[in-house]
Amino acid sequence: MQIERLSIELTNRCDKGCGFCYNHSQPEGDTLWTVPELLTLIEDCRQYDVRAVSFGGGEPLQYAGVFELLLALEGKIFRSLTSNGLLLCQDTYFEQLVAARPDKVHLSIHKPASQSEVTRVIETALKLQNAGITSGVNLLVAADQLAAASHAVEQLHQHGIDNRRIVYLPQRGGNTPTPKEVAKVAKEPFQAMSCLNACGKSPRFCAISWDKSVAWCSYTASRRPLPALNYAGVLAALQGLDIIPCATTTRPQTISWQKTSDARQTTPLDHQA
């Protein structure tokens, strides 16, 4: 097993507080991470050929040390960030993010039926692009919002944000579209989570939560605490860890180190909404 990509939730604090959020983010959310701890972990992991780290949440821009973290890792590892983009409407946050120079920023459209949200994300993505920051869009596709998602795609394409810059995310935990429905929304070759067709582990990816628990993906309920802030600790947490597919249960609080799931084989792969 060679982990190449890490997804790290910096916090589960998020003022948006969407009811469908896979990690139950909320305005009163918290984190167990400090910037020095994150740097210790990531610096060690990159010594073992981890090539990329994506920061999410919660809302990562609500993590106090996010800009310090991005700057400290510049040139050492590929750094991406997934955000709802609300704080980027404020000049102070936008300027600090541009100054931190992430390698890519993904902006999420959670409610494609909301024209104001679609417009805001398009405008922010283009503004980031004009500032020299590579940007993309994560589009949440719900089974009862297929027409709205299709309309959002049309608008994204009209503004030059094509399927090479869009990741299609089927809603999990209920109201989940079929792969064919997601493909119909996308209309042409598209990017999606690796678990679009079937749940399954990847030997190259893992997700680490705001509470320092480790899993094969961001959505699964099967998790273990990280025993040490290094690559060996990540591998130890994953060793023998089974998967509870997100279609069968919601994600709980961190499970104990001794406890493992009875589920067999499979987990959704890498992504954060």
Side-chain angles (χ1 to χ4, degrees):
M1 177 169 55
Q2 172 59 58
I3 302 297
E4 297 177 0
R5 294 171 290 135
L6 295 176
S7 172
I8 301 178
E9 297 170 6
L10 299 179
T11 177
N12 78 331
R13 182 182 177 191
C14 178
D15 286 343
K16 206 171 182 185
C18 300
F20 52 76
C21 183
Y22 61 85
N23 76 347
H24 315 294
S25 296
Q26 54 189 312
E28 299 79 22
D30 201 358
T31 185
L32 298 184
W33 288 111
T34 66
V35 170
E37 288 174 332
L38 287 161
L39 290 175
T40 295
L41 172 64
I42 296 167
E43 289 278 8
D44 187 78
C45 286
R46 76 183 188 90
Q47 301 301 319
Y48 292 88
D49 297 324
V50 173
R51 302 174 183 176
V53 58
S54 60
F55 297 115
E59 171 50 54
L61 294 179
Q62 290 185 243
Y63 177 71
V66 63
F67 303 122
E68 177 186 355
L69 184 63
L70 288 169
L71 283 168
L73 294 171
E74 184 179 12
K76 298 178 179 180
I77 193 169
F78 186 91
R79 307 150 301 146
S80 64
L81 181 124
T82 299
S83 170
N84 61 40
L86 287 169
L87 287 174
L88 295 178
C89 295
Q90 302 178 29
D91 289 343
T92 300
Y93 278 92
F94 185 87
E95 291 166 3
Q96 287 185 89
L97 182 61
V98 171
R101 298 179 293 277
D103 297 290
K104 189 171 186 180
V105 174
H106 298 267
L107 299 173
S108 299
I109 296 177
H110 295 125
K111 299 178 181 178
S114 170
Q115 185 57 53
S116 61
E117 179 166 319
V118 174
T119 299
R120 173 180 57 78
V121 168
I122 290 173
E123 290 177 348
T124 305
L126 296 177
K127 187 177 178 182
L128 284 167
Q129 178 182 319
N130 291 336
I133 304 296
T134 300
S135 63
V137 171
N138 289 354
L139 177 63
L140 186 69
V141 182
D144 64 356
Q145 295 292 319
L146 299 177
S150 293
H151 183 53
V153 171
E154 292 173 2
Q155 295 179 74
L156 289 164
H157 287 181
Q158 288 168 5
H159 286 85
I161 303 172
D162 61 23
N163 279 4
R164 291 171 295 180
R165 295 173 62 187
I166 303 171
V167 178
Y168 292 81
L169 305 179
Q171 184 167 309
R172 297 306 193 192
N175 201 19
T176 302
T178 66
K180 287 186 178 180
E181 287 173 329
V182 176
K184 186 175 180 180
V185 168
K187 298 182 177 65
E188 57 189 52
F190 65 96
Q191 304 176 75
M193 302 185 318
S194 302
C195 62
L196 178 65
N197 289 309
C199 211
K201 293 180 183 179
S202 168
R204 297 174 295 139
F205 173 88
C206 77
I208 306 176
S209 182
W210 65 274
D211 60 6
K212 300 181 182 176
S213 62
V214 181
W216 287 107
C217 82
S218 299
Y219 299 91
T220 183
S222 183
R223 321 183 70 81
R224 281 196 186 130
L226 180 66
L229 296 176
N230 52 36
Y231 185 73
V234 173
L235 296 185
L238 293 171
Q239 186 65 39
L241 183 63
D242 284 326
I243 306 301
I244 300 175
C246 61
T248 63
T249 186
T250 57
R251 177 171 148 182
Q253 298 296 320
T254 306
I255 62 175
S256 68
W257 174 254
Q258 293 79 17
K259 182 179 179 181
T260 57
S261 160
D262 289 332
R264 291 288 170 259
Q265 289 294 303
T266 62
T267 173
L269 286 184
D270 49 338
H271 219 86
Q272 309 170 29

